[in-house]
Amino acid sequence: MPAEWEAHHRTWMAFPPPNETFGPVGSPTLDRARAAWSSVARTIARYEPVTVVADPRDGTAAREWFGEGIAVVEVPLDDAWLRDSGPTFVRQPDGALAAVDWVFNGWGAQRWAAWGRDREMARAVAAEAGVPVRPSSLVNEGGGFHVDGEGTVLLTETVQLDPQRNPGATRESVEAEIHAALGTSKAIWLPRGLTRDYDEFGTRGHVDIVAAFAGPGTVLLHRQDDPAHPDHEVCRELHAVLAGEVDAQGRPLRIIDVPAPTVVKDDEGYVDWSYINHYVANNVVVLCGFDDPNDAIAAGILERAYPGRAVELVDARDIFAFGGGIHCITQQQPARATEGRTQ
């Protein structure tokens, strides 16, 4: 699997359908979701092509929301977190693309989730992209891992070893399947994710909200500075774990702490607002914004971490309110070997 900062052919997203998460047709909550997703799509589309998957009942609405310049394809779907339900694109030895089809079961068969359609999403997107499918036996989601493109993958014990996802799995069995699917050779296991991710509507520890590679040997890490926030200690623990690790090439990890937004709580408790859940596209970093003083600090850190790329802040508060961030709603399709390696 190429690193996210390598050249893309396009970005894939999904159009929020009416469901338990977003609300019914005509509701203010569904409109908020569609406005937030559209804002992200239009930002990315200034830098690379974007294709949006919409349920057939929502195809006309999707075209109205996204406007000209963003392609819409109609595929039955349950939800709009395409990072998780969609395929993971990888390069084959000859440079051609393939699509890994993980088993998707609604983030560990969560009570509120529906996945009858979304479990077919990876194959549907692969067909639209015209690439072959490589099925995997592992229950997994795209937000549950992060790669550096040079053999290293970040995982979380409470995701891949979740008994509601992969009962009886061990580190060894998970690593064997991950390495076979992604072409990695070294797994770095984090013990857990952010606290709110274990609430009723969480993913039970997705790594892409807390840690992300920003280059070979370099990891961006969420840092919560408020000692009253439960993630203050979580982040200290994760920093200690990463500080003791090396990547697949034997390099000690360089950790770049990214301070959390200054807002600590919302109406439901301690927030998991994070700048780590950004998306790297061609010549741009699309960064979660929170109308917070630390937005500018995070933008500066990411400008230095990804030199030569613009950093575009997009308000992500509504996306987080529905259970994720910008990285969670996007999925990169890498460029073919003939299209170039980095952008």
Side-chain angles (χ1 to χ4, degrees), residues 20-332:
E20 186 172 341
T21 300
F22 302 122
V25 174
S27 65
T29 52
L30 182 60
D31 285 349
R32 281 171 48 207
R34 289 175 170 180
W37 265 244
S38 299
S39 180
V40 172
R42 286 193 294 269
T43 301
I44 297 170
R46 296 203 297 270
Y47 297 88
E48 69 183 54
V50 175
T51 297
V52 174
V53 178
D55 191 89
R57 61 187 166 172
D58 298 322
T60 299
R63 292 178 178 90
E64 292 173 352
W65 273 98
F66 290 103
E68 295 182 4
I70 295 177
V72 174
V73 297
E74 296 183 12
V75 176
L77 53 77
D78 297 300
D79 220 322
W81 309 99
L82 202 73
R83 173 69 54 179
D84 295 341
S85 59
T88 296
F89 290 98
V90 296
R91 283 202 186 101
Q92 302 183 91
D94 64 358
L97 293 183
V100 177
D101 177 17
W102 310 105
V103 178
F104 181 72
N105 76 342
W107 303 276
Q110 304 246 25
R111 177 200 59 79
W112 49 267
W115 61 91
R117 300 179 182 92
D118 280 356
R119 67 186 175 190
E120 307 296 331
M121 184 57 61
R123 290 181 176 275
V125 170
E128 292 285 347
V131 302
V133 173
R134 297 178 59 181
S136 171
S137 60
L138 190 72
V139 177
N140 198 23
E141 304 96 36
F145 59 89
H146 209 278
V147 301
D148 66 353
E150 294 194 1
T152 319
V153 58
L154 297 173
L155 304 172
T156 312
E157 292 179 6
T158 56
V159 174
Q160 285 81 20
L161 299 181
D162 177 7
Q164 302 302 314
R165 285 178 167 99
N166 297 297
T170 64
R171 281 193 179 197
E172 292 73 21
S173 66
V174 168
E175 288 182 18
E177 181 62 21
I178 288 281
H179 294 333
L182 301 181
T184 49
S185 58
K186 169 67 182 289
I188 297 175
W189 289 87
L190 301 182
R192 56 163 296 132
L194 297 184
T195 301
R196 186 141 173 184
D197 210 10
Y198 297 89
D199 287 354
E200 181 182 3
F201 299 106
T203 71
R204 302 178 185 143
H206 270 190
V207 73
D208 69 350
I209 199 171
V210 66
F213 286 110
T218 300
V219 177
L220 297 169
L221 182 65
H222 184 71
R223 190 184 77 203
Q224 176 53 251
D225 290 329
D226 190 322
H229 196 300
D231 286 335
H232 180 70
E233 288 303 318
V234 170
C235 294
R236 288 168 59 91
E237 178 185 9
L238 298 181
H239 193 286
V241 170
L242 291 169
E245 287 283 358
V246 298
D247 67 12
Q249 308 302 317
R251 295 172 291 219
L253 297 180
R254 171 177 171 245
I255 303 169
I256 301 175
D257 288 321
V258 184
T262 60
V263 173
V264 176
K265 285 186 175 182
D266 63 9
D267 293 341
E268 297 182 12
Y270 287 105
V271 299
D272 59 353
W273 292 1
S274 170
Y275 300 109
I276 302 302
N277 200 267
H278 58 278
Y279 180 60
V280 184
N282 292 342
N283 300 315
V284 68
V285 177
V286 186
L287 179 61
C288 297
F290 303 95
D291 192 25
D292 188 274
N294 280 357
D295 288 0
I297 294 173
I301 292 172
L302 268 66
E303 284 175 353
R304 294 188 292 274
Y306 299 102
R309 277 184 160 83
V311 174
E312 297 260 15
L313 277 159
V314 178
D315 195 317
R317 287 173 291 180
D318 277 341
I319 306 175
F320 271 80
F322 291 115
I326 289 174
H327 196 255
C328 304
I329 67 174
T330 52
Q331 179 63 265
Q332 70 271 13

Side-chain angles (χ1 to χ4, degrees), residues 3-15:
E4 193 169 305
W5 53 83
E6 292 198 38
H8 295 181
H9 179 69
R10 73 176 56 250
T11 292
W12 290 85
M13 297 178 63
F15 184 59

